[in-house]
Structures are given as structure tokens and as C-alpha cells.
Amino acid sequence: MGGLLEVKDLTVQRGGIAVLSGVGFTLDAGAALILRGANGSGKTTLLRTVAGLQPPMAGTVRVAPDAIAYAAHADGVKAVLTVAENLRFWAGVYGSVAIEDALAAFDLGGLAERPAQALSAGQKRRLGLARLIVTGRPVWVLDEPTVSLDRAAVGLFASAVQAHLAAGGAALIATHIDLGIDAAELDVTPCRAIATTAQGVFDEAFR
Amino acid sequence: MSIWEYANPLKFMGWTAPLVPVLWVLSGIALTVGLIWGFFLTPDDYRMGATVKIIYIHVPSAMMAINAWVMMLVTSLIWLIRRHHVSALAAKAAAPVGMIMTVVALISGAIWGQPMWGTWWAWDPRLTSFLILFLFYLGYMAMWAAIDDPDTAADLTSVLCLVGSVFAVLSRYAVNFWNQGLHQGASLSLDSEENVHDVFWLPLLVVLAGFVLLFLALVLVRTRTEIRARRLHAIALRERMG
Amino acid sequence: MIRLLIRDLALAVRAGGGFGLGLAFFLIVIVLVPFGVGPETVLLARIAPGILWIGALLACLLSLDRIFQLDFEDGSLDLLATAPIPMEGVVAVKALAHWLTTGLPLVMAAPFLGVMLNLPGPGYAWLVLSLVLGTPALSMIGAFGAALTVGLKRGGLLLSLLVLPLYVPTLIYGTEVARRGAEGLAVATPLALLAGITLAAVALLPFAAAAALRVNLR
């Protein structure tokens, strides 16, 4: 019996060319994994593949259906809606109702009725992350979640992740900073696909 | 060995290389023989005079305009189902050829229509349908041109081709409903009373064979070019990614 | 999914949502026509059904690229793709929202603009009916085009090029209903065909559009 998320021998592609290959890890309930690697090393592509937004070139991602909550650089925050409306929308989509916990976790209570266009970049980011809590999904897949957050907000985020892990969730996070979470680390640099090898059936054809 | 082996780009390049010159020569012979026969060795029509001879351009190009779209539909389906890259590239290669055939059919029709109906253009259902087909070709080619990633382009154009085919058929019926038209009936149906006379028919078949061969030659050449371009694209991408 | 519909409607009617632009455009097109063809009421009455249909079609086209573009740019579409809503449902709901914010106002405005074009008396009911039946197809076909072009930088122009030929059957049957209605002829056949096209578009195009969106997101 594996964990919540099992990635085996995964090759991910961008524009038909393999970027990372042979990526493998397992995430158990209560565990977090931090992805490391330079800009452009393929972390985003890997996360999008894990989240099911793009098909893997080879290998498998095993995860229960509807288990992943994905968050990327773009928060999907609608500027003309208020903070509470933005969150309530996602809560409705995911079939939950309460947004108070999410507001509290990211200290957005005082901003709830403010339109999102009046938020600073960091506040917007917090709103984007608060969405994760209302999804109620066990596996968080996060791409650079701390961009534009100040130190206090990073602290809020770290405690939100820890609370999520304590509740039996799991998190896969690509980040460059130290979150202060007890988590394993995976450097994707060695997984970089070697350009000259045959990369799956498609690309071989156009060697 | 499965038939799909031939769809591997390397194999495809291999077996098409000797085929292309053969197709050029055969289509050249068929077109020369058919057109000379049709233009100079058939009598003038009792009703339409010498203008009838434009059917040797008009009918084959109109048929190839439709056949090219059908071929694109089939190759798009093969790409969506079996993910053979050559299939998607063949669809891409066929589009401009089909579009030119459509234009030739429209222009030759206009030239024929002027003496026959006294007008270069009429909103006749067949003419209108071909004009719409031309617009579909334009949209399809613009879609290919607008997308950088080749696989994304292949997927999206294939979906467009499927939906476009359905709408092309719907438009055909809608246009028929909208205006009954001047155009004569089918020239080449097998059992029709209104079929053209045998004297015209035989050279027409030869020209038609020539157009089919010409189409195949053009599409093969273009597909081979697309495969080479695709290979270049892959190499360039790989260089960039180190 | 109802949540998504409510959100899209809210986004459309709030500041910057572009609600009403299509309506204003429709009005301007109809106002321009008499300048182009002259003020003779007989001529205007004859071409009124077709002009109203073409005006509605162009007004509809104007807002198509907003269906997915904004959600694509701010990342919402990625998040919706991983949400527990099927992509086909997202497409259908967004097309419905587009129809409610663009198509329906056009339908309601059409009779008033019909007066300006001297549309004959019996034509009004048939004009409204043909637009009610036809504009959902315009929104759905447009959503398909928008899904195809969502990832492109210069998608707007391409979108028009792709979508307008697909509008041909709807336009033909729609104007035919309105024209025959205005002339007091039988309308059953084009009406049935128009309804058929709309139903088929609503039933089938969400799948094609969802496939295109998935391709554009990866």
C-alpha cells in the first residue's frame, strides 16, 4: 500500500521534448516534499504533470481521483470580487461552505469585504493560498507559493501547511526558501533529461 | 508488420522518396494527354459551344478541393486516435493544396459562368458552398500558422477539422435551402440522365486521374518538407535546452 | 457549476466586465445601416430581418474572446481544470453565461431596433423567436472558437476567422425564419432546422471545446 501520491519513473515534457526523466517519489499522509532546482529546471512542468494538467511522456503518477489541490504563480483571483466572494466561489466549487477557517489561517478576516483589486500582491497571494484550505483536498501541489509574501505571511503559510499535514494531508512544494517545515527535499537537477538520448516514441521519430 | 509502420517518419521518408518522381511523371502524362484530348479532340457542345471545355479544369479541381478536405479529416482523425505525427503533418500539407484547388474551381467556374449565365458570380448554392469551403481552408491554415508548439497545433487543428467538417456539411444543406440556384447537376454521377456525354467523359476521367496524381505528388512533397522542418524544430529546441 | 455561473454573471455585470458593450455595438450597427443603404422604408423593411440577425451575430462575436481569455490569464482556468467540475461543464456554463449576458439582451433589444428598420408587423414575434432559438448556438459555437484560440497572443482576429464560417447555417435558418415570418409565409421548416442546429451545438460542442481547452492548458 503506497502513500497518497506515488510518482514512478516519470518523464515530463515541454513542447514535445523531455525536460525531466526518471523522477520518482512517494508522499505519505502527513508528509511534505520540497522540490529544489534552479529556474527553468522543470519544476513547474513536473508539478503540472503531477496535477494532471499535462500528460506524462513516460512513467506514472498514481493518486486518488480528485485528491490534488493545485496552486501556481497565478492565483486565479478575480479583481472585481471581494476576498470573501472569491473564496466562497471556490468553496462552492469544491462543495464546502465554510470559509472562516481559511480566512483566519491567512489572516484575511479584516480584508474579507475588500475587493481583490484593492489588495497588495502579498495579500492576493494569501488569498490564493487560502483557497487551498477550502478545497478540502488531501494533496497540495504548490508552485512557488511564497512569492511576494513577507516574513510574517511565510510564517502563516508554514503553519497552514503544518496544520494540513497534521490533519493527514500531504504537500508537494516547489520553493527556493526555507519554510521551516519538517520535510524531505528532492533536488530535480540530476533528473534532467539528457538531450541526446531517444526520448520516447515521438521524438525518436524526428531525430 | 502493421500498416502503421509506414507512418514512422523515417520509414515514411524512405518509401516516399522514390515515389515522388514517379507521381510527378505520371500526373504530367495524364494531364498532358487528358487536357490535349479534352481541349482539341472533342467536339464543341451543341448548347454551350467551346466554353464547355473548361470542365477539364473546373470539375477535377472542384472534386480535389473536396477530396483534400476529406483527406485532412481522415488524417486528423488518425492523428487524434493514433498520434502518428506524419498523419498530422500530411493534413497540414494538404490544406494549401486543397485551398488552391478551391480557388481554381471558383475562378474557372466564374470564367465559365460569365458566358453561360451572363455573370461572373451568382449566389448559387454550389458556388456559395465552395466559397464557404475556402473560408474553412483559410481558418484551418491560419490556425496552424498561429500556434508555435507543433503538437498543440496538430491537436487543435484536428479538432477544428472535425467540427469544421460537420459544419461544412450543415452549411451545404443550409445553402441549398437558402437558394435553389443555377448550377447544372452533377457532371460525373454514374447513373444520372444529366451525365455529360461519353465523348467528354473519357478525357475528363484521364484529367481527373492526373489531378489526383498531382495532388498526391504535391501533398507528399509538402509532407516531406514538413517532416524535415519538424526535425529542424526538434534539433533547435534540443540545442536551446542544452 | 451553478457557482461558476453566478460568478461569471457577477464578473460580467460589475465594472470592467464589458456588459452592455455588445448591446451598444448592436445599436450602432443598426443605426449605421440606413446611412449605408438609404432611408427608404420599403427597402429597410425588406432587409430588416437579415440586418438584425447580422448585427446580433457581430455583437455576439465581439465578446467571445472574453469567455476564456481572462480566466486563462489569471490562472483560474488551471484551477478549474483541477477542480471537481468536468471541463465540458465549465464550457457549457461559460457559454450559458455568455448567452445570458450577451445573447439575451440582444434578443430583447431586437424588436426595438426592428421598429427603427420598419420591420413589418407579423415579423416581430418570429424575429424574437428565431433569435431566442439561434443565439444560444452563436454563444456555444463561439465558446468553441474561444477554447481553440485561448492560448494565442493574437487570438481575437483568428477567432473571428474561425467562428464566422461556422455561423453560416445558424444565420441562414435564423434569417429565413425572421424573413418568412415578416412576409407571412410558413416558418415551420427553417424553425425546426434552426432549433436542430442549436440543440446539436449545445449537446456536442462542449466536448470539442473541452478537448481544445485541455490541449491549450498543457
Side-chain angles (χ1 to χ4, degrees):
Chain A
M1 187 54 208
L4 284 173
L5 172 66
E6 234 178 289
V7 170
K8 253 195 222 138
D9 211 17
L10 187 69
T11 302
V12 300
Q13 55 166 342
R14 194 164 57 214
I17 299 285
V19 187
L20 296 171
S21 62
V23 182
F25 56 81
T26 305
L27 264 183
D28 294 317
L33 180 67
I34 310 279
L35 286 181
R36 303 280 190 199
N39 295 131
S41 59
K43 297 191 297 296
T44 295
T45 311
L46 175 60
L47 292 178
R48 289 181 71 84
T49 308
V50 169
L53 286 168
Q54 58 183 62
M57 203 166 182
T60 53
V61 176
R62 201 192 55 75
V63 63
D66 288 346
I68 287 182
Y70 171 76
H73 307 274
D75 293 313
V77 168
K78 289 296 174 191
V80 296
L81 301 182
T82 67
V83 169
E85 281 172 329
N86 267 302
L87 267 186
R88 236 179 258 127
F89 163 64
W90 288 110
V93 166
Y94 284 92
S96 54
V97 195
I99 59 164
E100 286 72 23
D101 290 352
L103 287 172
F106 285 93
D107 195 19
L108 291 163
L111 302 170
E113 295 311 318
R114 195 185 286 191
Q117 61 198 354
L119 298 182
S120 75
Q123 289 166 332
K124 236 180 241 174
R125 199 81 253 255
R126 268 150 62 196
L127 173 53
L129 293 170
R131 187 186 59 86
L132 292 169
I133 295 177
V134 303
T135 62
R137 288 190 162 180
V139 183
W140 289 3
V141 175
L142 312 179
D143 195 357
E144 305 278 8
T146 57
V147 171
S148 65
L149 291 184
D150 62 17
R151 193 167 301 164
V154 171
L156 285 175
F157 168 65
S159 25
V161 172
Q162 252 150 1
H164 177 64
L165 299 181
L172 176 62
I173 306 169
T175 184
H176 295 288
I177 68 162
D178 183 17
L179 294 171
I181 306 173
D182 181 26
E185 291 199 6
L186 175 70
D187 191 344
V188 296
T189 317
C191 298
R192 175 156 221 193
I194 296 130
T196 47
T197 54
Q199 296 156 343
V201 280
F202 293 174
D203 204 40
E204 175 212 13
F206 291 104
R207 236 176 337 187
Chain B
M1 192 174 89
S2 147
I3 179 179
W4 300 110
E5 294 266 318
Y6 293 106
N8 173 293
L10 286 174
K11 285 233 174 73
F12 181 86
M13 291 303 267
W15 70 262
T16 52
L19 196 60
V20 171
V22 176
L23 286 171
W24 280 127
V25 170
L26 286 179
S27 75
I29 293 172
L31 285 177
T32 315
V33 170
L35 287 178
I36 290 178
W37 185 359
F39 282 161
F40 303 111
L41 305 177
T42 55
D44 288 354
D45 185 76
Y46 70 95
R47 208 155 36 91
M48 298 194 256
T51 55
V52 73
K53 294 184 176 177
I54 205 163
I55 62 166
Y56 297 112
I57 303 291
H58 182 68
V59 171
S61 59
M63 289 183 87
M64 290 322 292
I66 294 169
N67 290 350
W69 186 274
V70 173
M71 184 211 127
M72 282 157 56
L73 174 62
V74 172
T75 46
S76 294
L77 274 173
I78 293 175
W79 159 253
L80 285 178
I81 295 165
R82 297 200 53 117
R83 318 291 298 172
H84 287 300
H85 282 67
V86 171
S87 189
L89 294 179
K92 182 184 183 185
V97 183
M99 190 201 73
I100 296 297
M101 292 292 180
T102 315
V103 172
V104 170
L106 283 171
I107 292 177
S108 59
I111 294 172
W112 196 2
Q114 218 294 320
M116 286 300 100
W117 307 331
T119 172
W120 295 101
W121 180 263
W123 289 95
D124 162 272
R126 284 199 184 206
L127 274 67
T128 312
S129 300
F130 265 79
L131 196 61
I132 295 169
L133 182 64
F134 174 69
L135 295 178
F136 276 108
Y137 273 120
L138 278 190
Y140 179 87
M141 286 162 61
M143 190 91 212
W144 266 108
I147 304 167
D148 294 327
D149 181 69
D151 278 6
T152 307
D155 280 331
L156 294 179
T157 52
S158 297
V159 174
L160 175 66
C161 186
L162 293 193
V163 173
S165 303
V166 174
F167 274 86
V169 173
L170 286 178
S171 303
R172 178 83 182 92
Y173 285 105
V175 165
N176 260 340
F177 179 83
W178 166 73
N179 189 351
Q180 304 303 330
L182 306 161
H183 201 288
Q184 59 185 300
S187 308
L188 271 184
S189 56
L190 288 175
D191 55 3
S192 163
E193 286 287 312
E194 62 190 345
N195 219 327
V196 290
H197 197 270
D198 280 355
V199 187
F200 301 111
W201 204 46
L202 284 174
L204 187 56
L205 280 186
V206 177
V207 178
L208 194 60
F211 265 78
V212 171
L213 291 165
L214 177 68
F215 173 77
L216 288 177
L218 286 169
V219 170
L220 278 187
V221 168
R222 292 186 53 84
T223 308
R224 288 166 59 79
T225 311
E226 292 292 345
I227 290 174
R228 292 198 180 103
R230 184 63 199 273
R231 208 175 274 167
L232 270 179
H233 178 88
I235 291 168
L237 207 63
R238 197 163 307 144
E239 295 270 306
R240 205 162 63 227
M241 307 194 32
Chain C
M1 291 220 270
I2 193 79
R3 283 276 176 175
L4 182 59
L5 181 64
I6 292 167
R7 184 195 71 153
D8 270 21
L9 294 179
L11 286 175
V13 295
R14 289 202 191 170
F19 179 72
L21 273 183
L23 209 51
F25 181 82
F26 188 31
L27 173 68
I28 291 171
V29 168
I30 299 306
V31 169
L32 287 182
V33 167
F35 296 142
V37 302
E40 293 164 58
T41 48
V42 181
L43 174 65
L44 286 177
R46 211 175 74 230
I47 62 174
I51 297 296
L52 287 165
W53 252 93
I54 288 180
L57 185 147
L58 293 177
C60 203
L61 189 71
L62 200 65
S63 51
L64 285 181
D65 58 340
R66 299 180 71 95
I67 296 183
F68 298 115
Q69 193 68 38
L70 298 176
D71 279 342
F72 180 77
E73 279 164 7
D74 71 12
S76 301
L77 212 51
D78 279 344
L79 303 180
L80 283 171
T82 56
I85 306 179
M87 212 59 182
E88 288 79 5
V90 172
V91 171
V93 166
K94 285 190 155 286
L96 176 60
H98 179 264
W99 183 72
L100 287 174
T101 55
T102 309
L104 197 57
L106 294 177
V107 172
M108 294 193 289
F112 299 99
L113 298 175
V115 175
M116 294 165 66
L117 293 179
N118 200 31
L119 183 73
Y124 288 93
W126 295 116
L127 174 73
V128 170
L129 185 62
S130 70
L131 284 170
V132 165
L133 280 177
T135 45
L138 299 184
S139 287
M140 194 60 242
I141 294 167
F144 168 68
L148 279 178
T149 55
V150 72
L152 299 173
K153 281 176 241 42
R154 290 164 291 113
L157 209 58
L158 180 63
L159 175 62
S160 314
L161 183 58
L162 297 182
V163 163
L164 284 178
L166 300 179
Y167 277 172
V168 168
T170 307
L171 176 66
I172 287 179
Y173 294 131
T175 43
E176 203 67 8
V177 171
R179 188 184 62 81
R180 290 188 183 193
E183 292 172 8
L185 304 170
V187 296
T189 316
L191 201 59
L193 289 166
L194 179 67
I197 293 223
T198 300
L199 289 177
V202 170
L204 299 175
L205 279 180
F207 296 94
L213 278 182
R214 284 195 203 96
V215 169
N216 269 322
L217 285 180
R218 68 172 193 226

